[in-house]
Amino acid sequence: MTREELQAQLTQILEQDFEFSNVAPGDNLRDVHGFDSIDAIELLAKLEKLLGFSISREEREGAMRIRTLADILDYIETLQKKRAEDGGGA
């Protein structure tokens, strides 16, 4: 899946499931859209379904730095790269 396809799917999730509107890649999700820690937990579960693999506890801790949609996309690309290097695919 390309970055653009991921962004479209994530934008759809944020708009439908979290009721965000006009999500820009650089928006600080907390400041602009009221994204909180409960939302982050829900989003990680949705990412697991989207990606088709479980996110480890260590990888979840890495998600704590995420502030923007662009950060989420970078995070997903890192997870996918790690899976490919480990032979698990994405």
Side-chain angles (χ1 to χ4, degrees), residues 1-10:
M1 190 176 317
T2 68
R3 186 175 177 98
E4 291 78 21
E5 291 168 333
L6 280 171
Q7 181 172 336
Q9 288 192 7
L10 283 170

Side-chain angles (χ1 to χ4, degrees), residues 4-65:
E4 291 78 21
E5 291 168 333
L6 280 171
Q7 181 172 336
Q9 288 192 7
L10 283 170
T11 299
Q12 183 177 13
I13 289 169
L14 292 171
E15 289 175 351
Q16 290 180 355
D17 297 343
F18 297 94
E19 299 179 0
F20 294 177
S21 59
N22 302 316
V23 180
D27 286 354
N28 182 308
L29 297 176
R30 180 182 306 253
D31 294 345
V32 177
H33 301 283
F35 195 77
D36 61 23
S37 58
I38 302 287
D39 293 330
I41 292 166
E42 290 178 32
L43 181 60
L44 284 172
K46 292 181 184 304
L47 288 178
E48 286 179 328
K49 287 183 182 179
L50 176 67
L51 299 172
F53 57 78
S54 294
I55 300 172
S56 72
R57 182 181 188 115
E58 178 181 297
E59 291 166 337
R60 286 177 185 272
E61 290 172 4
M64 297 300 117
R65 297 184 308 275

Side-chain angles (χ1 to χ4, degrees), residues 61-73:
E61 290 172 4
M64 297 300 117
R65 297 184 308 275
I66 292 173
R67 298 289 179 257
T68 67
L69 178 58
D71 290 343
I72 297 169
L73 294 168

Side-chain angles (χ1 to χ4, degrees), residues 64-89:
M64 297 300 117
R65 297 184 308 275
I66 292 173
R67 298 289 179 257
T68 67
L69 178 58
D71 290 343
I72 297 169
L73 294 168
D74 293 343
Y75 175 74
I76 290 171
E77 288 176 341
T78 299
L79 292 177
Q80 289 176 322
K81 182 178 177 184
K82 182 178 185 286
R83 292 296 185 293
E85 289 172 355
D86 291 346

